[in-house]
Amino acid sequence: MISQNQMTKRDLIHISPVDDSFPLKNGWIIKEGKYFKNFLSKIPKEIDSALVSSETKNILSSFPNPSKVKKFKSTGCVIGYVQSGKTTSFNALSSLALDNGYKFIIVLAGRSNMLIDQNKKEFEKLFLNVDSCKVMDSYKNVNCFRTIDFSMLREDKYDPAEKIILVINKHQTHIENLTAEIKNYYDIFNECPTLIIDDEADHAGLNTEKDNNNYSKIYSAISALRKSLPMHSVAQYTATPQALLMISKKDPYSPEFVKFISPGEKYIGTKEVFDKNSSIVSIIPGKDALVEKPDVTDTLETAIFHFLIACSESTIKPEIFTKSDGKTRVSMMIHPSVSKDLQNDYAAVLKDYFESLISSIEFDETRFFEDHNKIILEEYNKIKKNNKDISSFKEIYERIPYIIKKIKIHSLNSDQENEVDFEWKNVGRFNILIGGYKLDRGFVVKGLTTTYMERGLGISNMDSIQQRGRFYGYKRDHKHFLKVWLVSDIKKAFENYVETEETLYNDLKSFNELGKPLKEWRRRFLLKPELNICRKNIVRLTLFRNLFKQNGFFSNENPIDFKENHENFEKLIKDNSDKFKSYPNQENWSDETKCLIAEDLSLREILKFLDNIHINYDSNDKKKLSAAQITLSKLADEKYRCSLILIGTNSLYFNEFYNRKRTVDERKKISKLFQGKTISSGFPGHEKIFSRKNKTVTLQIHRLLNRKNGEQFFALAIKIPDKKNMMIEYDDLSHLYHEGVDY
């Protein structure tokens, strides 16, 4: 098999709709009962309810059917883009699960109190006044489980069972206390189908201990919780699944399948924000990047006035801005650093700055406009360049003083008492939020139009960097008011992630078509070498990284046996015999260095040839070649072609190749496959012999003699024109690592 995605379609966007009457997997015929119909009645009209319904049924049907299976444990991953509606999806999944046999929903709602509170309120709003379903939470009371009467889950003759949705902190003490209480009701939970929703599943709950005898605390707590529930499924929700895919495949938390949720038409994500023609992103120059002391620099002041223009437009055309709770809010988010003290200092500086603006306005509004007219006009014209429908400059301009007086500044971090109590319903219409980790993952910044991120790469974990993208979301109606200021290394990282995300999602969608368990999917990630795919302490798989060297070449280390492979090589040459010609400008080269080249060949056909090569030696060559094929398969998907070069010959017959000799050492490794340049003849060296055609891979075939015994053997060298930094799974070596808690 050439690659896992080579035989499948690559243009999937949405999951195929599921017919209500069609029996799904695992013996399911999914029904829409009162809970799901209640959900549908409360979702915003702009959401495609038919799509949500079909995707939710697809997800639920991938888990065991609780009416058919008495004991089960199942783990699946649900992937959606950052800020694309994962909360809506797991609200839908919970509702549909309650209609189809599940009685108890546990929502591991995150580590941040703001995120937990956000999730809790969504469920409370959804199930308000819905009979026979209670929404509870633990985030303010770690011992609250003792007060819950779980016997309400029991189906009695005269007292019908109720359903429970429990939103809890993803913290070991909360989870352990819940597990202890569940054990007190073992007779109930022994027959209680339970759905666990793990929000931001790639974060906090995975094992970070590589020692076989130790487990990280939250991981252990979740494992014990699962052990206490004989009938349960786990739906892992995330926008950055890399960490979940990098744990041992034998770990019980390794997903058995992945499903995707589709963003709506008004969603703006990575590809659009960081498109080369996008006007959304600007660079914070080095002189304005934060060093030690926060200040309102020229760039930050520009960002602030861009925000004020957006606020002003929202008072004129509120219908184009995102609404929540019936209110139009416009927000600016500032990411200065992970330092809480620095965030608080930043908030103080900004408050002083706005107080000075207000004083200026109150003292002499005309003078205020004279001082700031230039910056307002410049930002207005930048917006108008891409948005001809923007209100007139006069309408925007005259509202600025009013807006400035209404701005509220919030510093959100764990040192702030108001972190727990921050609620959107209690804040004003125009808000500037300052924070670090608290504003990274999961938290929705309502009405976010302007982002100012001085924060750098940090430890370069790409999934964590992507989670900073609070600026993504359903914002197409006011797209031209979106603006993101970033330092250059972060901008580059986001731009690089566009292809990383697209490659990963397409791979997984294509693999889904094969209908195989996810554990059979060979992990691969496209990533620049300066970045990490995720935090290293959870990785349990061995990866090849950068198989193709700095010169773009990959070559086998050990001889490829002549007798076993010559027919395969001969067939390749014969099939393309009419396309070979002499390599250009080789008139003065020696017989040893002359070459033949055939161009514009099908890269797919070359992949089939590589797939048939037989490698005898006990080496890594087979696995490395297979990994290289995965990279080549991606290039084939991108319509790359291939050139074939026969090294050391002017003939298509192997017995007429020049007898180039190479040493094969005691480890059976080829010493110095490539010959260097020869100035006298103009031979440039083998590293310089490749096709210069656009989007073309080069395959060099070397027929060589073992200097020690005179035996013939082959060697291959593959050159890719564009450096693709592919991380590819070596093999499932998880038996060498800690395998996770058994339950």
Side-chain angles (χ1 to χ4, degrees):
M1 182 178 175
I2 292 171
S3 82
Q4 58 203 15
N5 66 348
Q6 187 171 322
M7 301 184 298
T8 58
K9 297 177 182 177
R10 299 302 305 273
D11 57 353
L12 295 181
I13 297 176
H14 297 310
I15 298 169
S16 299
V18 180
D19 189 329
D20 280 354
S21 62
F22 188 78
L24 300 172
K25 292 180 290 185
N26 299 322
W28 284 85
I29 298 179
I30 305 293
K31 65 177 182 179
E32 295 184 8
K34 70 174 184 179
Y35 296 111
F36 193 70
K37 289 176 180 177
N38 170 68
F39 162 80
L40 291 176
S41 72
K42 293 183 179 180
I43 61 174
K45 61 181 180 180
E46 60 267 21
I47 292 179
D48 185 341
S49 59
L51 180 61
V52 171
S53 178
S54 67
E55 291 186 343
T56 307
K57 290 171 185 175
N58 202 325
I59 296 166
L60 185 61
S61 68
S62 299
F63 292 113
N65 182 347
S67 65
K68 299 287 186 181
V69 184
K70 292 301 180 185
K71 305 293 179 187
F72 62 88
K73 58 187 179 195
S74 181
T75 307
C77 179
V78 183
I79 301 173
Y81 294 102
V82 173
Q83 299 279 91
S84 68
K86 293 184 295 299
T87 302
T88 298
S89 177
F90 65 67
N91 284 340
L93 182 63
S94 299
S95 302
L96 198 63
L98 294 178
D99 283 329
N100 289 273
Y102 285 88
K103 299 179 180 179
F104 185 32
I105 311 290
I106 301 171
V107 184
L108 303 177
R111 298 277 290 162
S112 158
N113 282 333
M114 290 193 300
L115 180 55
I116 299 163
D117 192 49
Q118 176 180 290
N119 280 322
K120 182 196 73 168
K121 284 181 169 57
E122 288 293 327
F123 275 104
E124 286 179 336
K125 183 169 61 177
L126 175 60
F127 286 92
L128 181 66
N129 300 323
V130 177
D131 291 337
S132 66
C133 184
K134 296 187 181 296
V135 177
M136 306 176 183
D137 71 87
S138 74
Y139 87 94
K140 290 185 178 179
N141 181 4
V142 72
N143 296 312
C144 74
F145 307 108
R146 298 174 187 170
T147 67
I148 299 175
D149 181 9
F150 287 111
S151 64
M152 70 179 71
L153 293 167
R154 182 185 286 116
E155 191 77 44
D156 291 332
K157 184 177 180 180
Y158 300 108
D159 192 9
E162 293 199 54
K163 315 281 188 176
I164 296 177
I165 297 175
L166 183 58
V167 182
I168 73 170
N169 190 320
K170 198 191 296 186
H171 183 279
Q172 64 268 20
T173 305
H174 289 251
I175 300 170
E176 287 167 356
N177 287 356
L178 172 60
T179 302
E181 201 61 27
I182 285 173
K183 289 179 179 178
N184 291 333
Y185 290 88
Y186 180 77
D187 61 321
I188 292 175
F189 287 103
N190 192 47
E191 297 180 353
C192 179
T194 300
L195 175 64
I196 300 173
I197 303 286
D198 188 350
D199 188 20
E200 305 294 343
D202 61 303
H203 182 61
L206 302 180
N207 186 34
T208 57
E209 298 285 346
K210 284 195 174 182
D211 186 335
N212 287 341
N213 299 313
N214 291 307
Y215 308 96
S216 50
K217 292 180 180 178
I218 300 176
Y219 175 83
S220 295
I222 292 174
S223 298
L225 172 65
R226 297 188 70 180
K227 191 174 182 179
S228 72
L229 296 166
M231 305 173 69
H232 77 272
S233 298
V234 176
Q236 303 166 322
Y237 274 81
T238 182
T240 48
Q242 293 90 332
L244 290 167
L245 298 170
M246 290 301 297
I247 63 178
S248 167
K249 293 179 181 180
K250 295 182 180 180
D251 189 314
Y253 225 55
S254 178
E256 300 154 22
F257 63 87
V258 294
K259 295 294 178 182
F260 287 85
I261 53 176
S262 304
E265 292 180 357
K266 294 187 178 182
Y267 178 75
I268 293 177
T270 313
K271 193 171 184 178
E272 192 164 355
V273 172
F274 293 96
D275 181 83
K276 64 180 180 180
N277 297 318
S278 171
S279 61
I280 294 175
V281 181
S282 291
I283 290 290
I284 301 173
K287 68 180 181 66
D288 285 351
L290 182 66
V291 180
E292 294 178 357
K293 190 175 181 180
D295 191 17
V296 179
T297 63
D298 291 345
T299 310
L300 177 56
E301 187 170 49
T302 299
I304 289 171
F305 275 91
H306 176 95
F307 170 60
L308 294 175
I309 291 171
C311 293
S312 185
E313 180 75 332
S314 77
T315 66
I316 304 167
K317 298 179 180 178
E319 68 277 2
I320 70 171
F321 287 83
T322 306
K323 287 184 171 57
S324 60
D325 304 324
K327 298 179 181 178
T328 300
R329 291 187 177 85
V330 185
S331 299
M332 178 177 183
M333 182 178 73
I334 299 178
H335 267 281
S337 162
V338 296
S339 166
K340 298 166 188 174
D341 290 339
L342 201 54
Q343 293 162 21
N344 295 336
D345 289 345
Y346 221 117
V349 167
L350 277 178
K351 287 176 182 177
D352 288 344
Y353 174 75
F354 273 92
E355 285 176 7
S356 70
L357 291 180
I358 293 170
S359 296
S360 174
I361 291 166
E362 292 177 345
F363 179 73
D364 188 343
E365 188 170 301
T366 301
R367 178 65 182 271
F368 165 81
F369 280 125
E370 289 175 355
D371 291 343
H372 297 93
N373 180 73
K374 181 180 178 182
I375 189 172
I376 299 172
L377 182 60
E378 284 179 353
E379 282 309 298
Y380 175 84
N381 285 334
K382 288 176 186 177
I383 298 171
K384 188 173 182 178
K385 183 178 179 181
N386 297 301
N387 178 21
K388 304 303 181 185
D389 294 329
I390 187 173
S391 297
S392 70
F393 180 69
K394 182 178 183 298
E395 288 178 293
I396 296 285
Y397 188 69
E398 65 187 12
R399 285 170 165 77
I400 296 293
Y402 164 80
I403 301 294
I404 288 173
K405 294 177 182 179
K406 294 291 184 180
I407 297 290
K408 300 298 180 184
I409 297 169
H410 312 272
S411 178
L412 300 180
N413 59 54
S414 57
D415 280 350
Q416 297 295 302
E417 291 182 4
N418 68 347
E419 185 272 332
V420 174
D421 298 324
F422 181 85
E423 294 186 34
W424 285 104
K425 69 179 182 180
N426 296 332
V427 301
R429 186 172 180 177
F430 312 117
N431 300 280
I432 297 178
L433 277 61
I434 304 168
Y437 290 131
K438 295 292 180 184
L439 301 181
D440 268 5
R441 181 179 285 273
F443 183 68
V444 177
V445 181
K446 296 186 177 182
L448 179 62
T449 60
T450 311
T451 300
Y452 192 83
M453 191 180 296
E454 289 183 346
R455 187 172 159 196
L457 278 176
I459 56 177
S460 304
N461 291 334
M462 197 58 246
D463 54 347
S464 297
I465 293 170
Q466 176 69 354
Q467 286 286 355
R468 298 184 198 173
R470 301 298 101 195
F471 39 78
Y472 303 132
Y474 293 91
K475 302 175 179 181
R476 191 161 306 281
D477 288 344
H478 60 275
K479 173 185 174 182
H480 300 300
F481 291 93
L482 298 182
K483 194 70 178 179
V484 181
W485 276 266
L486 304 170
V487 293
S488 59
D489 59 348
I490 286 291
K491 179 176 182 286
K492 186 177 179 181
F494 274 113
E495 289 170 344
N496 291 338
Y497 191 75
V498 173
E499 192 174 9
T500 298
E501 184 176 68
E502 186 173 24
T503 298
L504 175 60
Y505 287 12
N506 282 337
D507 277 0
L508 289 168
K509 289 174 182 178
S510 296
F511 185 78
N512 276 348
E513 285 192 313
L514 302 177
K516 295 181 178 181
L518 185 62
K519 295 179 191 296
E520 295 184 23
W521 176 64
R522 191 173 190 182
R523 276 63 170 154
R524 74 167 187 174
F525 305 95
L526 191 66
L527 197 69
K528 293 295 181 182
E530 64 269 20
L531 300 172
N532 299 312
I533 196 68
C534 61
R535 56 200 186 280
K536 294 178 180 178
N537 60 352
I538 58 90
V539 175
R540 297 294 187 271
L541 301 181
T542 302
L543 299 176
F544 286 122
R545 184 162 188 165
N546 301 331
L547 281 170
F548 292 87
K549 308 302 181 187
Q550 285 301 112
N551 59 9
F553 271 102
F554 162 81
S555 59
N556 53 289
E557 294 181 341
N558 304 108
I560 298 173
D561 186 83
F562 184 85
K563 293 180 181 179
E564 293 278 359
N565 291 283
H566 74 90
E567 290 183 2
N568 188 29
F569 279 80
E570 286 174 347
K571 183 179 185 305
L572 175 67
I573 295 170
K574 182 179 179 181
D575 289 347
N576 297 285
S577 59
D578 60 333
K579 297 181 181 179
F580 281 98
K581 60 184 179 182
S582 293
Y583 193 81
N585 304 318
Q586 62 173 3
E587 293 80 9
N588 298 322
W589 296 5
S590 66
D591 291 341
E592 181 179 5
T593 56
K594 286 184 177 179
C595 309
L596 294 174
I597 182 170
E599 298 192 277
D600 199 29
L601 307 183
S602 165
L603 184 52
R604 288 283 180 219
E605 292 303 312
I606 298 300
L607 283 164
K608 291 178 183 177
F609 158 74
L610 295 174
D611 201 46
N612 290 325
I613 290 176
H614 182 76
I615 297 177
N616 292 320
Y617 296 108
D618 183 17
S619 71
N620 289 333
D621 272 354
K622 186 70 175 177
K623 291 172 182 175
K624 285 185 176 181
L625 181 59
S626 179
Q629 286 172 262
I630 295 177
T631 301
L632 296 180
S633 179
K634 170 162 178 59
L635 297 180
D637 292 337
E638 297 175 6
K639 311 302 182 186
Y640 277 62
R641 303 290 285 174
C642 185
S643 289
L644 181 61
I645 299 179
L646 307 182
I647 300 292
T649 185
N650 262 332
S651 169
L652 301 180
Y653 300 100
F654 289 129
N655 60 353
E656 296 179 12
F657 274 50
Y658 186 87
N659 289 326
R660 287 177 60 221
K661 295 180 180 179
R662 284 294 179 268
T663 299
V664 179
D665 63 24
E666 63 278 0
R667 298 173 299 166
K668 299 180 180 178
K669 291 191 175 183
I670 304 168
S671 177
K672 296 181 180 179
L673 172 63
F674 287 163
Q675 182 173 321
K677 68 180 179 180
T678 306
I679 296 175
S680 59
S681 67
F683 175 65
H686 286 133
E687 288 187 6
K688 301 297 183 181
I689 297 178
F690 56 87
S691 174
R692 266 67 178 181
K693 285 195 171 184
N694 186 40
K695 297 187 74 170
T696 299
V697 172
T698 297
L699 173 63
Q700 293 181 356
I701 293 180
H702 300 251
R703 195 228 60 168
L704 303 163
L705 297 181
N706 187 331
R707 184 172 273 118
K708 291 183 178 180
N709 57 24
E711 291 181 354
Q712 297 184 73
F713 66 89
F714 292 112
L716 297 174
I718 304 169
K719 161 83 172 175
I720 57 175
D722 305 317
K723 190 67 183 297
K724 296 289 182 182
N725 299 288
M726 191 75 73
M727 298 175 64
I728 301 170
E729 183 184 351
Y730 175 91
D731 201 353
D732 186 4
L733 301 179
S734 55
H735 60 282
L736 300 178
Y737 296 91
H738 162 55
E739 302 300 349
V741 178
D742 186 25
Y743 57 85

